[in-house]
Amino acid sequence: MEEGDKKKCTVEAKEENGIEEKVDENKTREENEDKNEDTKNQEKNNGVKESDVIVTLDIREKLLDEGEKQKEEKNGKENKEETLPLKTPPVEEHPGGKKKEIVPARWVMAVLGCVGFMIVYGLKVNLSVAIIAMVNHTAVAEMGGHHDDEEEHHGNGTVNECGVEEKKEALEDGPFAWDDNIQGLILAAYFYGYIFTQVPGGWVAEKFSAKHVFGVGALLNALCALLCPIASKASYIVLVALRIVMGIAGGVTLPGMHVLIASWAPPQERSKIASTIYAGMTLGTLVCMPFSGLLASELGWESVFYIQGGLSILWYILWLVFVYDSPAKHPRISRAERRFIEESIGTNTKGEKPPVPWASVWTSMPVWAIIVAHTCSNWGWYMLLVKLPTYMRYILKFDIKANAGLSAVPFLCMWIFTMINANVLDALRGKNIITTTFARKFSTFVASIPPAICLIGVTYVGCNTDLAVALLTLGTMFIGGMYSGFLSNHIDIAPPFAGTLMGITNTFATVPGIVVPSFVGYMTHGNQTVEAWRIIFFITLGIFGLEAVFFSIFGSGEEQPWVRPKPKPGDPEQMRLNEA
C-alpha cells in the first residue's frame, strides 16, 4: 500500500509538471508522452523511497501554487479586457429586447412630421384670418357687398339684431378692395395647384426619397409665404399665382408623409403614429389662427407672412438632420428598434418595389371607399378650415381678435380627441377586442355624422352665441376621427403603394378645396345671413351622410390580395417575402 501511494503521488506530480510545460502541444504528442511516463514510472516503482515522496509532494504544491497564480493573472487580464469594450459603445439592448434610447427614432420622425404639417396647414389657413385685415370693408360695402357693414362703419358702437354692441375696431379697413368673389378666388387658388401634384408626389416619394419630397414641399410653402405681402401689393392676380405655387408644393406633402409612415410605423402603433403626425394639420390651424389674428391686429397683416414663414425655415434644418427615409438608412437608430420595425412591417430590403397594379387599384372597392370618404370629409373639413372665420365674423359678430381665438378653440378639442381616439383604438386592437376594419369604419362614422348634426344645429341657436360656439367645437372635434379612420386606411390595404394611393384619393379630395370657397362666396355674396349658411350646412349634412354609408359598406382594414406580386417558380426568396 505504501509503495502504491508513492507511485500515485509521483505520477500525479510528473503529470502536472508535463501539463504545465506542454499546454500548446497537440493531443497526440501528449498521449504518447503520457505512455512514456507510465512506462518510466513502472520501471521506478521498486526504487521509490519515503524522502522521494516528500520531495515530490513539495514540488507538486509549488507547481499547483504557480499554476493558480497564472490562472488568476490570466483571468484578471480577461476580465479587464471584457470590461473595456462595454464602456465605449452605447448599450443598445437590454435583456428581453427592450430599447435603451431615450426617444425612439420613429417618434422623432413623428414629432417633426407633426410640426411639418403644422407649417403646411398653418401657411394654408393663415390667409383666411389675415384676409379679414387685408380687405377694405368700406369699399366692398359701397360696391354692394355688405350693407350692414356700411351702417356699422358710420357708428362707433352700433347694436346688432341680437342686441350686442359691436366695436368699430372689428371693422378696421385694410388696403385691398376685394369683394367676396375675389376673396373666394384667392382662398381657392391654393387648391388649383394642390390637385396636380398628389399622384406624382406619391410616386416620387416611393421611388426616390419621401423625406425630401415632404421637406422640400414644406420649405417652398415657407418661402412663398415670405413673398405674399409683395404679391398682394402688386395685384390679387399675382397673389393668386403665388398661392397656386404654394399648392403645387403643398400637394406632395401628404402622399410623401404616407410613404414615411409605411416605412416607419409598426402595424400595432400605426394609428398612434399616423394620428400624431396628421394631428399637425389640426395643430397648425389651432396655433396659426389666433397667432395670425394677434399679429395682424398688433403688427399689421404683413407680419403674419413674414414671421410664420421665417420660423418655418428653422424646422427644415431639423428635418434634414434627424429624419431619414427608412430605419435601414438611419445612422443613429438602435439595432433593437430597427429590428423591431422591420420585423413588424416585413420590410424587403433586398429587392425593388413592384410596379403599381393600376387595374387592380381602380377596380378595388376598398380603394373607392377611401376616395369617397376622403372627398366627402374634405368638403366639411374645408368648410370649417377656410370659412369658419368668415362665419364667426359675419354671423356670430366677433371682432378679429375674438374671431381668431374662438376659431382655434374647436381645433384644440379636435387635437385632444384625435389623440385619445387613436390610443384607445390601438389598445383595443392590440388586445384583439376589435379588428382594424372596425376601427377604421367606426372612426370614419364618428368623423361624419356627429359633425353634420352639429353644423345644422348652429343655424338654429339664434343669438345664443355660446351654444353656437359649443356646437361648432363639437362638430370640429369629431372630424378628428378621420385620422384613425380612412386617412390611415391606405397603409392598411396596400402598404407598398401607400403614397400613390394617398395621391389618388387626395386628388379627388382636393376638389372640395376648390369648390367650397367659391361656393360659399357665391351663396353669401351680399347675403351674409343665417338662412344662407343654413342651406350650406344642409348640403354638407348630405355629403357627410354619403361618406358614412359608403365607407361602412365597402371599407376594409385588411391588406388586399393584389398588393403582393405572385411568386415566380424557383424564387424561394420571393415566396418567403410573400408569405411573411
Side-chain angles (χ1 to χ4, degrees):
M1 293 294 294
E2 187 175 275
E3 290 182 358
D5 292 336
K6 291 178 182 179
K7 174 186 173 183
K8 184 176 181 181
C9 292
T10 304
V11 171
E12 289 177 353
K14 291 184 177 182
E15 287 179 344
E16 185 74 20
N17 189 26
I19 291 172
E20 291 294 327
E21 292 176 352
K22 301 174 181 179
V23 290
D24 296 328
E25 295 181 3
N26 57 46
K27 293 182 180 180
T28 304
R29 294 183 60 185
E30 287 179 354
E31 290 175 358
N32 292 335
E33 288 182 5
D34 287 341
K35 291 179 180 179
N36 293 333
E37 292 284 348
D38 292 337
T39 304
K40 291 178 182 179
N41 288 334
Q42 289 175 1
E43 293 174 355
K44 295 179 180 180
N45 275 342
N46 297 328
V48 177
K49 299 180 181 179
E50 186 173 352
S51 60
D52 293 334
V53 175
I54 297 173
V55 172
T56 304
L57 290 172
D58 291 337
I59 294 173
R60 180 177 181 273
E61 290 176 358
K62 289 180 180 180
L63 290 173
L64 290 175
D65 290 341
E66 290 178 0
E68 289 177 359
K69 289 180 180 179
Q70 290 177 357
K71 288 179 181 179
E72 289 176 358
E73 290 176 0
K74 185 177 180 181
N75 291 336
K77 290 180 180 179
E78 289 177 353
N79 290 336
K80 289 180 181 178
E81 291 175 356
E82 287 177 357
T83 55
L84 286 175
L86 293 177
K87 295 178 181 179
T88 50
V91 179
E92 296 183 274
E93 294 177 274
H94 290 295
K98 294 183 180 179
K99 301 174 289 296
K100 189 180 179 180
E101 63 270 14
I102 298 174
V103 181
R106 64 188 182 278
W107 285 104
V108 172
M109 184 278 297
V111 171
L112 287 176
C114 175
V115 177
F117 272 122
M118 287 179 64
I119 291 170
V120 173
Y121 269 71
L123 296 178
K124 181 191 297 186
V125 303
N126 64 357
L127 185 59
S128 299
V129 176
I131 201 169
I132 298 175
M134 296 167 70
V135 170
N136 188 325
H137 301 283
T138 301
V140 172
E142 290 174 353
M143 291 186 295
H146 302 296
H147 300 291
D148 291 339
D149 285 350
E150 187 175 358
E151 294 177 4
E152 291 168 353
H153 270 279
H154 292 292
N156 290 330
T158 58
V159 177
N160 63 22
E161 60 272 18
C162 291
V164 177
E165 184 177 354
E166 297 174 358
K167 297 180 180 179
K168 183 179 178 181
E169 64 174 353
L171 304 169
E172 290 180 355
D173 288 328
F176 307 112
W178 297 335
D179 62 21
D180 288 338
N181 289 327
I182 293 177
Q183 292 179 47
L185 176 63
I186 292 171
L187 293 175
Y190 183 96
F191 301 98
Y192 295 144
Y194 191 79
I195 195 171
F196 290 109
T197 51
Q198 296 296 317
V199 176
W203 182 84
V204 172
E206 289 172 353
K207 293 294 182 181
F208 299 102
S209 173
K211 165 189 173 177
H212 291 301
V213 166
F214 182 85
V216 172
L219 176 64
L220 288 177
N221 268 257
L223 295 176
C224 289
L226 294 173
L227 297 175
C228 278
I230 298 174
S232 301
K233 293 174 183 177
S235 169
Y236 80 88
I237 296 176
V238 178
L239 180 59
V240 167
L242 187 63
R243 293 286 293 180
I244 291 174
V245 174
M246 290 181 70
I248 291 173
V252 305
T253 56
L254 201 56
M257 180 54 69
H258 238 50
V259 175
L260 279 176
I261 294 174
S263 299
W264 279 95
Q268 59 268 41
E269 296 179 356
R270 190 168 290 158
S271 292
K272 288 186 289 188
I273 291 178
S275 295
T276 298
I277 293 172
Y278 292 133
M281 303 176 186
T282 304
L283 290 175
T285 306
L286 169 64
V287 173
C288 278
M289 278 191 166
F291 189 43
S292 299
L294 179 63
L295 290 174
S297 61
E298 298 296 333
L299 300 177
W301 61 270
E302 296 98 331
S303 65
V304 174
F305 304 100
Y306 290 142
I307 293 177
Q308 293 180 17
L311 292 175
S312 301
I313 295 176
L314 297 178
W315 164 87
Y316 181 67
I317 298 173
L318 297 176
W319 180 260
L320 288 179
V321 173
F322 291 106
V323 175
Y324 293 84
D325 284 304
S326 67
K329 295 181 179 180
H330 200 302
R332 296 179 296 275
I333 190 173
S334 69
R335 288 195 300 263
E337 183 183 7
R338 176 179 172 180
R339 183 164 56 249
F340 167 66
I341 295 172
E342 291 182 344
E343 289 179 355
S344 299
I345 297 175
T347 305
N348 178 10
T349 58
K350 191 172 182 179
E352 296 182 356
K353 290 185 178 179
V356 179
W358 291 108
S360 299
V361 168
W362 290 114
T363 56
S364 172
M365 289 311 297
V367 171
W368 279 103
I370 301 175
I371 292 173
V372 172
H374 201 167
T375 304
C376 294
S377 179
N378 270 20
W379 176 278
W381 170 240
Y382 287 129
M383 185 71 65
L384 293 170
L385 194 68
V386 179
K387 302 308 295 185
L388 181 59
T390 303
Y391 181 83
M392 301 186 80
R393 157 68 180 84
Y394 290 116
I395 304 302
L396 300 183
K397 306 295 184 183
F398 291 118
D399 61 40
I400 187 170
K401 292 181 182 178
N403 185 2
L406 288 171
S407 295
V409 171
F411 296 101
L412 172 62
C413 296
M414 180 182 181
W415 174 70
I416 295 172
F417 174 76
T418 295
M419 302 312 299
I420 293 175
N421 184 56
N423 280 274
V424 170
L425 290 177
D426 271 351
L428 294 176
R429 286 197 304 144
K431 296 178 181 178
N432 294 321
I433 298 176
I434 62 174
T435 63
T436 300
T437 300
F438 178 84
R440 302 298 180 234
K441 290 183 177 182
F442 172 79
S443 292
T444 302
F445 182 88
V446 168
S448 53
I449 299 303
I453 295 173
C454 290
L455 286 177
I456 295 298
V458 166
T459 63
Y460 287 97
V461 298
C463 295
N464 191 340
T465 55
D466 292 337
L467 182 56
V469 171
L471 288 173
L472 283 173
T473 298
L474 287 175
T476 307
M477 180 187 76
F478 285 121
I479 289 181
M482 67 180 176
Y483 299 120
S484 295
F486 65 84
L487 206 55
S488 299
N489 199 212
H490 312 72
I491 307 173
D492 297 323
I493 66 172
F497 314 115
T500 299
L501 288 187
M502 173 57 80
I504 293 172
T505 66
N506 207 30
T507 298
F508 285 91
T510 303
V511 174
I514 299 172
V515 174
V516 166
S518 300
F519 170 71
V520 174
Y522 172 79
M523 293 292 294
T524 59
H525 181 65
N527 185 32
Q528 285 287 354
T529 63
V530 173
E531 290 73 18
W533 281 93
R534 186 175 293 151
I535 295 173
I536 294 170
F537 289 158
F538 264 112
I539 292 173
T540 303
L541 171 63
I543 294 173
F544 269 144
L546 174 62
E547 171 192 354
V549 172
F550 199 92
F551 193 84
S552 295
I553 296 174
F554 298 108
S556 173
E558 304 301 322
E559 186 175 293
Q560 298 303 293
W562 45 265
V563 170
R564 305 290 176 182
K566 295 180 180 179
K568 298 178 181 179
D571 190 1
E573 178 66 22
Q574 184 65 55
M575 292 178 67
R576 283 197 297 271
L577 288 172
N578 293 337
E579 292 171 357

